[in-house]
Amino acid sequence: LRSCSPGRARRTNASRRACLVARFGDIYAQERLDAENLLRTYIGDTEMVQRIIYIAAVESFQAAKMAYRQFKIRVRETLSLGHSGPESLEDTVLDYIVRHEDLYDVQGSVNEVIRSMNINPKISFPPEIDFIVISTLIRELCRVAFSMQTLVPPLDIAFGTDGELFSETKYHRSFDSDFTAALVAYHVWPALMENDVVIVKGEAVTKR
């Protein structure tokens, strides 16, 4: 543990942030579309397909943030026993987590997301199918969300609700939206935030 260079996580913060923001965009462009195409083979309702994917994204961030908090507590407890500087304990903990992100139990988070989705009243699935079919998307979202918690400041997704006033700064309208409608019917993809500032727009459907 003493081989960690002081403040390594903070020194690499800008480059890690750039990579994670780009990865979030890649997931939107690739894994999200793969999941959408897969779900369409089971569900004919486009709105339901997009709602499922949006809720998977939200639940993935929630599960990853919870896992990060628990992981950080365990690391801090362990490292505090022998910590003597020169860097602060918080910096040492952050360095350790960044160097050992492979210890994150991503499968545990995936299972937690699927459990949450199974009891979400806004989405439904044919009884013969399980949300595990989109576990690749969920896993990649959990990974990127966990890594985003190691940034200073951490990145998070915007909280969205059906019927909220559409925000041009937060979302793009989906192509099938009513472009004169003022309210969000449902969300397709969350916006990415840093200190309550949008850094990557999400996507929403507006309808009258």
Side-chain angles (χ1 to χ4, degrees), residues 1-2 4-10 75-76 79-80 82-100:
L1 296 181
R2 305 304 295 162
C4 284
S5 56
R8 179 178 181 273
R10 289 182 184 273
V75 171
R76 187 189 289 114
L79 296 185
S80 64
H83 179 71
S84 58
E87 67 276 16
S88 70
L89 176 60
E90 279 304 299
D91 276 358
T92 305
V93 168
L94 195 57
D95 284 350
Y96 181 89
I97 295 173
V98 168
R99 290 170 68 98
H100 297 89

Side-chain angles (χ1 to χ4, degrees), residues 28 32-33 36 50 54 166 170-177 184 186-192 200-206:
Y28 169 77
R32 177 187 68 92
L33 290 180
E36 203 170 282
Q50 292 180 329
Y54 176 75
F166 178 78
K170 217 180 253 189
Y171 301 107
H172 297 289
R173 276 187 172 91
S174 288
F175 72 93
D176 54 346
S177 290
V184 172
Y186 64 93
H187 300 79
V188 175
W189 194 249
L192 191 64
V200 179
K201 283 188 181 184
E203 185 179 340
V205 176
T206 54

Side-chain angles (χ1 to χ4, degrees), residues 95-147:
D95 284 350
Y96 181 89
I97 295 173
V98 168
R99 290 170 68 98
H100 297 89
E101 281 187 55
D102 56 315
L103 297 178
Y104 164 42
D105 176 18
V106 67
Q107 187 57 48
S109 289
V110 171
N111 296 342
E112 188 58 44
V113 171
I114 291 171
R115 269 196 298 274
S116 296
M117 292 177 70
N118 280 330
I119 58 172
N120 191 306
K122 286 188 178 177
I123 51 176
S124 59
F125 221 33
E128 68 276 11
I129 309 301
D130 192 282
F131 286 119
I132 202 164
V133 297
I134 58 167
S135 59
T136 299
L137 170 69
I138 295 169
R139 181 174 289 105
E140 292 309 306
L141 281 165
C142 285
R143 279 205 183 107
V144 80
F146 185 90
S147 296

Side-chain angles (χ1 to χ4, degrees), residues 20-21 23-25 27 53-69 104 109-110 112-113 137-149 151 154-159 189-194 199:
L20 289 168
V21 171
R23 181 67 190 119
F24 185 75
I27 293 172
I53 289 172
Y54 176 75
I55 287 169
V58 171
E59 293 292 350
S60 295
F61 266 78
Q62 296 287 13
K65 286 190 295 182
M66 178 64 74
Y68 178 80
R69 284 194 290 271
Y104 164 42
S109 289
V110 171
E112 188 58 44
V113 171
L137 170 69
I138 295 169
R139 181 174 289 105
E140 292 309 306
L141 281 165
C142 285
R143 279 205 183 107
V144 80
F146 185 90
S147 296
M148 283 175 173
Q149 305 317 299
L151 298 173
L155 302 184
D156 200 358
I157 54 173
F159 178 72
W189 194 249
L192 191 64
M193 313 283 285
E194 182 179 66
I199 57 172

